[in-house]
Amino acid sequence: MEYWFGILANLGIYIILALSLNVIVGLTGLLQLGHAGFFALGAYAAALTAMYATVPALGGANLVLSLAAAVAVSGLFALLLGLPCLRLRGDYLAIATLAFGEITRMVLNAVEFPGCAVTGGEKFGGATAIALPWPVQYAITYSTDYATWPVILAAVAVTFAFMLNLKRSFIGRAMICIREDEVAAKSMGIYVPRYKLLAFFLSATFAGVAGALFAHNPNTGMSISPNEFGLLKTVEILLIVVLGGLGSVTGSVLAAVVLVFTPELLRFLPHIGDVNLSEQRQLVYAALLIVIIRLAPNGILGLNESPQFITRFLVNRRRQL
């Protein structure tokens, strides 16, 4: 059961990452390939806060300090990157953000941090993973004890509610207008740079929250390494957004559930003759993805928040009433 709780916590982190990327890619229509960089900044900011600034008397409130540090650092870098880069469009923006993500990973891979009480004064970081202290190890309460799966699911609920309301607000509609036709958006009085920067900022800060939860989650072994935040991580998150439907909040959640749980369920595939299908689960997983994309080229829900047949049923039902 503990194993499935770990999968559930991992699912929650992926949902937050997908919902955050959906703001910039799905709602605003900007291809951003540096999401793993903001994820890494949030994780490292939270981890360093736990290493240097944990106050045992605060107990679980230490997690709030780590989350605040993650939001502040990822948001600051989003503004620093967004102000010059959001003048770019299309492939050029994708290349610039991709470079940011890889530069972030390489810098974290090279930088060593000064020693602290937890490490006995020895430097840590760099290519070596940062191992956060376990509470029982030092007989004091560290913030790392609090990012368990119920906490992560609570963060998912808050993130989902925020993103759904954002989409339905005038801000979300302005973002969708920019995605559909930027020139038309300008002609309607929408200040495009402001909304692009806001989307970039919100996307990065929620990625930072996911990073903080990832670093403080006992199911990840309480350690983070730069190699966990490479381009492949961004591709995985982008795949969830595309599969769920660009701009669909509910679709991102459903796609995350499918992409996280499916590889685990495929472990239980039976033998067929001399072939052990569970050993070929990656091949089966890829085939399932191709089938899903073929059947739903616009994503599971498209831009909608519910399947179209349910929407049609509700509309017809209202007309009858």
Side-chain angles (χ1 to χ4, degrees):
M1 186 61 70
E2 197 65 31
Y3 172 78
W4 289 106
F5 284 152
I7 299 298
L8 196 61
N10 191 42
L11 169 63
I13 292 171
Y14 269 102
I15 289 175
I16 296 175
L17 287 170
L19 291 176
S20 61
L21 186 61
N22 188 50
V23 175
I24 188 73
V25 175
L27 293 183
T28 317
L30 303 174
L31 183 56
Q32 201 266 87
L33 297 180
H35 209 56
F38 296 113
F39 183 38
L41 289 172
Y44 270 79
L48 293 175
T49 302
M51 297 289 277
Y52 288 116
T54 293
V55 180
L58 293 179
N62 283 292
L63 180 59
V64 178
L65 294 177
S66 294
L67 286 170
V71 168
V73 171
S74 57
L76 175 62
F77 275 87
L79 294 176
L80 294 176
L81 179 68
L83 286 171
C85 287
L86 289 180
R87 297 177 181 273
L88 304 174
R89 296 184 182 182
D91 298 339
Y92 297 101
L93 177 62
I95 293 170
T97 52
L98 171 62
F100 164 77
E102 287 302 293
I103 289 172
T104 301
R105 182 184 62 81
M106 293 169 66
V107 169
L108 293 175
N109 200 49
V111 172
E112 290 188 342
F113 303 98
C116 60
V118 175
T119 61
E122 296 183 1
K123 292 183 178 180
F124 62 96
T128 307
I130 295 181
L132 276 70
W134 288 80
V136 294
Q137 229 176 333
Y138 296 91
I140 59 177
T141 305
Y142 276 88
S143 59
T144 48
D145 194 30
Y146 294 93
T148 52
W149 66 268
V151 175
I152 292 176
L153 291 186
V156 168
V158 172
T159 305
F160 178 81
F162 179 87
M163 294 301 178
L164 197 58
N165 282 283
L166 175 68
K167 179 182 177 181
R168 292 171 176 172
S169 69
F170 73 93
I171 297 175
R173 294 180 182 182
M175 291 177 179
I176 294 174
C177 185
I178 292 171
R179 185 190 76 172
E180 297 300 326
D181 193 327
E182 189 172 323
V183 176
K186 289 180 181 178
S187 67
M188 293 173 63
I190 296 174
Y191 188 55
V192 173
R194 177 189 302 164
Y195 286 98
K196 282 186 176 181
L197 187 60
L198 178 61
F200 207 73
F201 177 79
L202 291 175
S203 177
T205 52
F206 276 94
V209 169
L213 295 174
F214 177 78
H216 289 74
N217 179 20
N219 297 298
T220 61
M222 306 275 238
S223 65
I224 54 174
S225 170
N227 294 328
E228 295 176 288
F229 307 102
L231 176 61
L232 183 59
K233 183 66 68 177
T234 297
V235 173
E236 290 176 357
I237 305 165
L238 184 61
L239 178 60
I240 294 174
V241 175
V242 174
L243 187 63
L246 292 173
S248 174
V249 178
T250 309
S252 294
V253 175
L254 293 177
V257 172
V258 171
L259 294 184
V260 171
F261 272 110
T262 300
E264 302 303 323
L265 296 176
L266 291 178
R267 295 178 185 272
F268 302 101
L269 287 174
H271 285 74
I272 298 181
D274 296 330
V275 179
N276 185 0
L277 289 180
S278 63
E279 294 180 354
Q280 308 297 326
R281 60 182 179 276
Q282 295 296 338
L283 182 62
V284 177
Y285 178 60
L288 287 175
L289 285 181
I290 294 173
V291 171
I292 293 173
I293 293 173
R294 181 67 183 87
L295 295 176
N298 295 322
I300 296 174
L301 295 183
L303 187 61
N304 305 308
E305 297 304 326
S306 61
Q308 291 187 358
F309 70 89
I310 295 179
T311 304
R312 293 196 198 99
F313 172 79
L314 293 175
V315 170
N316 293 332
R317 184 67 176 171
R318 287 178 181 175
R319 288 175 179 173
Q320 292 175 2
L321 295 175

